């Protein structure tokens, strides 16, 4: 299953956006209002939970400055990635979108597609004011 957030324009350089996303503590600023838990577990790992959903642990898996950052599921039964794609428009403007990618059975995919789409859209929409 592959889902993408809408592209968001941020009035910061791609390097600034990349550095923001590289610091996993900053993801708390991007979370939706219905977050019930956020905890930094190390310099490259954090745990979060949304109301009514199980806790999810994400770990930074790959970083390609200043264009891409990959977070992946750390443990748990589901294997997925959350990829931030950053494109430079000019020296002070960049465009970002998030891609969610994972292997799920049809039943699970049907259940999580809506909530995950809304989640990555919220993260992307919160970026311009948070970065």
């Amino acid at each position: 299953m592959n889902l993408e957030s809408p592209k968001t324009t941020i009035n910061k350089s791609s390097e600034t956006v990349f550095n923001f996303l590289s610091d996993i503590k900053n993801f708390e600023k991007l979370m939706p209002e219905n977050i019930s838990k956020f905890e930094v577990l190390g310099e490259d790992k954090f745990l979060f939970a949304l109301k009514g959903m199980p806790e999810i642990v994400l770990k930074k898996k790959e970083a390609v400055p200043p264009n891409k950052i990959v977070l992946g599921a750390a443990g748990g039964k589901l294997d997925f990635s959350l990829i931030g794609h950053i494109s430079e428009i000019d020296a002070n403007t960049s465009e970002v979108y998030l891609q969610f990618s994972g292997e799920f059975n049809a039943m699970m995919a049907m259940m999580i597609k809506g909530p995950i789409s809304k989640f990555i859209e919220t993260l992307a929409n919160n970026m311009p004011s948070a970065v």
Side-chain angles (χ1 to χ4, degrees), residues 12-13 15-16 25 28 38-39 44 58 61 67 69 71-72 74 79 92 94 103 110-112 117 120 122 124 126 128:
K12 301 279 176 143
S13 70
E15 188 176 333
T16 300
K25 292 187 290 291
E28 187 170 15
F38 187 93
E39 193 178 316
D44 65 347
L58 285 176
K61 303 260 179 159
N67 303 108
I69 186 127
L71 301 174
D79 186 26
N92 297 310
S94 45
E103 293 291 319
M110 196 172 73
M111 286 172 37
I112 66 172
S117 295
I120 63 173
T122 300
N126 287 344

Side-chain angles (χ1 to χ4, degrees), residues 36-97:
S36 59
K37 186 174 190 177
F38 187 93
E39 193 178 316
V40 174
L41 302 174
E43 84 183 42
D44 65 347
K45 192 162 46 168
F46 67 94
L47 173 152
F48 72 96
L50 303 175
K51 288 185 179 101
M53 298 285 282
E55 292 181 353
I56 296 171
V57 177
L58 285 176
K59 179 179 175 59
K60 190 171 16 168
K61 303 260 179 159
E62 182 184 353
V64 183
N67 303 108
K68 182 177 169 186
I69 186 127
V70 180
L71 301 174
K77 297 179 182 118
L78 302 177
D79 186 26
F80 64 89
S81 296
L82 180 64
I83 305 159
H85 297 276
I86 307 158
S87 305
E88 186 173 295
I89 294 172
D90 62 38
N92 297 310
T93 314
S94 45
E95 187 174 69
V96 179
Y97 74 93

Side-chain angles (χ1 to χ4, degrees), residues 20 23-32 35 37-40 46 48 123 126 130:
F20 177 86
D23 184 349
I24 55 126
K25 292 187 290 291
N26 289 330
F27 275 85
E28 187 170 15
K29 299 173 187 167
L30 303 177
M31 290 289 160
I35 187 166
K37 186 174 190 177
F38 187 93
E39 193 178 316
V40 174
F46 67 94
F48 72 96
L123 293 182
N126 287 344

